Amino acid sequence: MPSVAFKQYSDDVSLLVLLLDTNPLFWSNTSITFSQFLSHVLAFLNAVLGLNQLNQVIVIATGYSSCDYIYDSSLTSNHGNFERSGTGMPPLFASLLKKLEDFVTKDEELSREEGHEDRTPSCLLSGSLSMALCYIQRVFRSGHLHPQPRILCLQGSPDGPEQYVAVMNSIFSAQRLMVPIDSCYIGVQNSAFLQQASYITGGVHHTPKQLDGLFQYLTTIFATDLHSRGFVQLPKPIGVDFRASCFCHKKTIDMGYICSVCLSIFCEHHKKCSTCGSVFGQSKLDEASSVSDKKRKAPHT
Amino acid sequence: MSNQRKRLTGEREDEDDEDAEGIGEWERAYVDDRSWEELQEDESGLLRPIDNSAIYHAQYRRRLRMLSAAAAGTRIQKGLIRYLYIVIDFSRAAAEMDFRPSRIAVMAKHVEAFIREFFDQNPLSQIGLVSIKNGVAHTLTDLGGSPETHIKALMGKLEALGDSSLQNALELVNEHLSQVPSYGHREVLILYSALCTCDPGDIMETIQKCKKSKLRCSVIGLSAEMFICKHLCQETGGLYSVAVDEVHLKDLLLEHAPPPPAIAEFAIANLIKMGFPQRAAEGSMAICSCHKEVKIGAGYMCPRCKARVCDLPTECTICGLTLVSSPHLARSYHHLFPIAPFDEVPAFSSLNDSRRTLGKSCFGCQQSLIGTGNKPGPCVTCRKCKHYFCLDCDIYIHESLHNCPGCESIHRPKSVSLMEE
């Protein structure tokens, strides 16, 4: 890697980590095919690399059963790959396409091994977010001169509720590192995870209406580096819903009861917490000694 | 005399230029910083700077081992709703200058960092500040959830006078914390600089009173170890530590930020009624109940009484309902579902098959794990997903991220569905 001390680091050098959704369950029924989508994305990556000589791009694929690094623009093995690939794609990305193909076949094998379970057709967002944050942490460790990192999530799969805790952990860690998470959602329903991620970390969330013009959305909204965002009007967050859902009925509630031990949310008053088993209103000492009912304390209102 | 006064307020820059004591700036580096301590001898007797990263990682592993030994595989309950009083000793001893520029300045700086970290890790908890000055304990701020109020009150009054009284501080804190709801965990953190305590009565009685009201007292000493502090902490189940320098003081303080293991009898489990307000509509005008001013747009509406509040988490000033948003609750979930520590893989171990395929680079950051001379360098591995990680990722994952990238990248069965948005 050429010595950075000789180059002038301006404040608009960026490191973009792109989390690409390759979930086959989502791509099997969309208005745009995966290869058309890839051509938009590759043109966008070229645009980002062209904005500044020192920009870096990392691509991590988010699959159905696994996640992996696909492309790193700073590795010298990716440069000078000048044979034309048969499909007419720019030669710069020949290795990206090859690795992506290998990844998708491997992912498919893994999904087949696990069998058909009744599972929400979500991709492993928490896994790729965690990997992206580890990479960014490594960039921060490399010294004073480093590009400003940000994460862009290109996703169409719906949210998987089993990943809630892991995704929130990643979001809070990104907030502490001051790394914005931008999200471009191309699916059908709304993704609450991505909306919250962009809101909490200070990134941009957008749902493009016309997928044929995806390249235009990507370059006008998501290619802006962090320094220039102060001067550019980007879509503002509107009404992110931070209300919680109760554990018993899974409906969104305005007011609820929280267990003081495990922070589970209930919509009505219960005698016992279903998550941690604590009995409410009775101290543990009384519980051990008493058998019959004791006067229960009224809940704090 | 004027020199002494200057020292008390921490202004020492004038002395550098004056050369008044015959010490120039370049000599000060040897007198104050002790730069020879950063050198170490290697095997052949040559000097080299200390390899900080290996030491840092060894310290971190030791800490993790202690914590996991304490947890011993069972799910330890943690006190997530904490009511913490920070007692700062502003007696004469706090004006000592063994911490640069003075103990007060260092304490104030680190307490500010601690308050921010505390609210970051415990968003539903509250802090109050108490100071000891002239042998009397004063309440600087009442229990509250806004870090700015506390920091402003703390920075406003930084002066050291008089004696220190441990008993008065404990009595005051006990009185305040007796009014706290029963599901909260009551804690006190005392930053003690003095070497004695001037009490109006029997401090042993006060300690027994604290023990009976289930108050967990911890002390961080800045000068030397004292029996009375040790006794207090042992009786109430707290932690006693003495700081040797500024960096150590910061580490000791930040150790108290994550929730301590809860002693089950100390708090009664209870259902707390909380509201999840929605954002007020853009362009709506209302008088906010916290500042008593007209505000337009951004803000939240209490679901019970429809009053407008500016920030979350807070208690509605009109109806008293605790208002939070779901990310605030989510901040505490990693305390309830911690990840297991990774296993160390000894460096220079033989390259077995799995190491050869998976262990070439760190799974998290893709950094090469091959050390010098093509031999495998030190790394760690996760028990569940069997992926290899470098030492820096290990520290980052366990201290900040709380997710193992390897475990999150494999599909797990839906039975682990905990909660959804």
Side-chain angles (χ1 to χ4, degrees), chain B residues 156-290:
Chain B
K157 300 222 182 107
L158 288 181
E159 41 175 16
L161 305 161
D163 294 323
S164 157
S165 168
L166 202 52
Q167 183 184 16
N168 284 339
L170 286 174
E171 291 280 346
L172 182 64
V173 167
N174 216 353
E175 201 186 296
H176 283 307
L177 284 177
S178 59
Q179 297 157 5
V180 137
S182 60
Y183 51 76
H185 286 81
R186 302 162 194 195
E187 301 176 34
V188 177
L189 178 60
I190 307 178
L191 285 172
Y192 210 64
S193 332
L195 282 174
C196 61
T197 165
C198 301
D199 299 327
D202 186 3
I203 193 174
M204 297 302 186
E205 267 179 36
T206 314
I207 294 183
Q208 290 308 313
K209 214 160 67 163
C210 291
K211 190 173 174 187
K212 228 178 356 176
S213 52
K214 304 186 189 149
L215 176 63
R216 180 182 186 265
C217 309
S218 305
V219 180
I220 298 182
L222 272 79
S223 39
E225 190 183 20
M226 282 169 61
F227 169 73
I228 190 66
C229 297
K230 197 162 165 186
H231 181 73
L232 168 66
C233 295
Q234 270 173 351
E235 287 288 303
T236 54
L239 215 62
Y240 181 39
S241 39
V242 177
V244 296
D245 59 24
E246 294 161 31
V247 178
H248 192 211
L249 174 63
K250 183 163 186 209
D251 286 338
L252 289 175
L253 253 183
L254 290 179
E255 254 177 40
H256 287 95
I263 306 176
E265 305 87 50
F266 271 24
I268 302 179
N270 227 324
L271 277 180
I272 313 165
K273 198 171 168 94
M274 290 201 187
F276 299 97
Q278 278 198 330
R279 237 178 140 70
E282 283 295 317
S284 65
M285 280 198 281
I287 300 183
C288 82
S289 49
C290 26

Side-chain angles (χ1 to χ4, degrees), chain A residues 65-236:
Chain A
S65 309
S66 59
C67 306
D68 203 6
Y69 283 88
I70 300 292
Y71 180 69
D72 183 348
S73 70
S74 59
L75 293 178
T76 45
S77 58
N78 284 326
H79 303 161
N81 210 350
F82 287 125
E83 348 101 34
R84 281 225 151 249
S85 57
T87 57
M89 284 286 181
L92 193 58
F93 293 119
S95 63
L96 189 159
L97 292 171
K98 173 100 188 26
K99 271 205 174 151
L100 189 57
E101 210 183 299
D102 294 338
F103 171 76
V104 169
T105 10
K106 208 167 68 150
D107 193 40
E108 208 184 333
E109 264 178 48
L110 280 173
S111 328
R112 239 178 300 143
E113 276 172 30
E114 284 154 13
H116 300 282
E117 282 178 35
D118 188 25
R119 185 194 131 177
T120 48
S122 59
C123 62
L124 292 173
L125 177 63
S126 52
S128 50
L129 263 180
S130 309
M131 289 167 76
L133 287 169
C134 283
Y135 189 90
I136 290 177
Q137 178 69 359
R138 169 186 165 193
V139 169
F140 279 143
R141 280 198 306 265
S142 65
H144 290 296
L145 280 182
H146 58 78
Q148 288 179 321
R150 67 182 192 273
I151 299 180
L152 171 58
C153 235
L154 262 184
Q155 194 177 312
S157 322
D159 296 331
E162 66 272 5
Q163 295 175 28
Y164 177 66
V165 179
V167 170
M168 294 310 280
N169 281 340
S170 316
I171 294 175
F172 295 135
S173 187
Q175 189 191 23
R176 281 178 100 155
L177 291 176
M178 292 193 288
V179 171
I181 300 181
D182 300 327
S183 45
C184 182
Y185 188 67
I186 51 184
V188 179
Q189 310 143 313
N190 224 340
S191 167
F193 285 179
L194 290 181
Q195 271 187 328
Q196 287 198 17
S198 300
Y199 183 77
I200 293 176
T201 55
V204 180
H205 175 84
H206 194 70
T207 320
K209 310 260 182 334
Q210 309 255 29
L211 288 182
D212 294 339
L214 185 62
F215 172 72
Q216 187 170 349
Y217 288 106
L218 289 176
T219 41
T220 48
I221 301 175
F222 296 107
T224 338
D225 58 274
L226 297 184
H227 178 74
S228 312
R229 284 187 185 191
F231 319 120
V232 173
Q233 281 276 37
L234 294 171
K236 289 208 191 350

Side-chain angles (χ1 to χ4, degrees), chain B residues 55 95 139 153 155 157 191 207 216 321 331 364 369 392:
Chain B
I55 295 186
T139 318
M155 295 307 186
K157 300 222 182 107
L191 285 172
I207 294 183
R216 180 182 186 265
L321 182 64
R331 268 183 207 279
L369 290 177
D392 301 302

Side-chain angles (χ1 to χ4, degrees), chain B residues 118-168:
Chain B
F118 180 84
F119 282 119
D120 194 50
Q121 296 212 19
N122 309 274
L124 301 173
S125 311
Q126 295 185 353
I127 283 188
L129 291 174
V130 165
S131 70
I132 312 177
K133 226 183 258 192
N134 274 327
V136 182
H138 306 277
T139 318
L140 282 178
T141 54
D142 283 319
L143 282 173
S146 150
E148 300 305 323
T149 336
H150 298 303
I151 294 172
K152 214 160 69 164
L154 175 64
M155 295 307 186
K157 300 222 182 107
L158 288 181
E159 41 175 16
L161 305 161
D163 294 323
S164 157
S165 168
L166 202 52
Q167 183 184 16
N168 284 339

Side-chain angles (χ1 to χ4, degrees), chain B residues 326-345:
Chain B
S326 48
H328 292 125
L329 295 177
R331 268 183 207 279
S332 306
Y333 289 151
H334 71 86
H335 296 301
L336 299 167
F337 310 108
I339 50 172
F342 291 162
D343 296 324
E344 256 181 56
V345 174

